[in-house]
Amino acid sequence: MNYSASTAQTHSTRATTKHGGAPLTLEARGLGKTFNGFVAVSDVNLHFSGNGVFGIIGPNGAGKTTLFGLLSGFIKPSTGAVSCNGEEISRLEPEAVARLGLIRSFQITSIFGHLTVAENLAMPMQRRDSSGNQFWRVNRALDTYRDEIDETMQRVGIASSWRDQPAADLSYGLKRSLELGVSLAARPRILLLDEPTAGMSTQDIGHIIDLIRDVAAERMVIMVEHNLRVVSDLAREIVVLQQGRVLTVGPYAEVRQNPQVIEAYLGGQREHGHA
């Protein structure tokens, strides 16, 4: 199948919203990115709509990371455009994209290890409620957002005893939980997660799956994930990339039976749960 702009065909991934009103949307139109002559993403057309989890999968070199960067505003497209809730965001800086309600977390933990757990959570809360030019005053922020910090810690499964401890002292699994908490503290309408379970133990993965399922009930979550068991557990729609293009889109049960996907992506690893 060809899902390029030349065929005027756009893949739609849809889910119902928890509340009434128009569903959230994130749309890519003719999206492409070239690095020094290398085509990383080519002619991608996607339309995400509504709350729930949507997965992006594909073999190494398929263009997942580049597409993720394009959707979140961290990479500027060579061709095409990205729109969030009808507003084009392709040329906006990541901070401006975040203020529209689209927040991205990274594959590598991006929390500040020298700050306490509470301080890490207070920063996006203050940034969310300020003009963006206000100097961060730690004591004031910790006091202003005390209840919200405690509620966020409880939601992501970090014990209150960690509140005033350096984030660097957390286990790897708790650091990833804190990173998700930091993302949630910005109150995103659309949350992009880059390999949220990478490097986690089985127990930690189970916790993160439950947490993502919970937060996706009230917002759109788009994630790149190598662990296919996580994808099958969470994602109602999956985008499969191959060589920078969309190979197919559909529910996991449908995608995993697609001969093109089996040949290009899953292959002999089809039953092993990892790409």
Side-chain angles (χ1 to χ4, degrees), residues 5 7 31 52 60 77 86 94 96 104 121-122 139 148 156 167 199 211 216 224 231 234-235 259 262-263 271 275:
T7 63
L31 199 60
N60 291 333
R104 172 185 176 173
L121 291 170
N139 291 333
E148 187 177 351
V156 300
L211 180 55
V224 168
V231 173
L234 287 173
I262 295 170
E263 175 65 25
E271 299 303 329

Side-chain angles (χ1 to χ4, degrees), residues 12-92:
S12 294
T13 58
R14 301 184 182 277
T16 57
T17 52
K18 184 178 181 181
H19 305 292
L24 303 174
T25 61
L26 186 65
E27 184 173 16
R29 303 184 306 277
L31 199 60
K33 182 63 181 181
T34 301
F35 296 100
N36 298 321
F38 172 74
V39 180
V41 169
S42 177
D43 238 356
V44 167
N45 293 274
L46 291 167
H47 184 88
F48 300 95
S49 178
N51 296 343
V53 179
F54 306 101
I56 299 176
I57 66 173
N60 291 333
K64 302 185 297 297
T65 299
T66 301
L67 176 59
F68 214 58
L70 291 166
L71 292 176
S72 58
F74 281 84
I75 298 176
K76 305 307 176 189
S78 301
T79 58
V82 178
S83 296
C84 179
N85 298 324
E87 180 174 347
E88 185 172 341
I89 63 172
S90 309
R91 308 300 168 184
L92 297 180

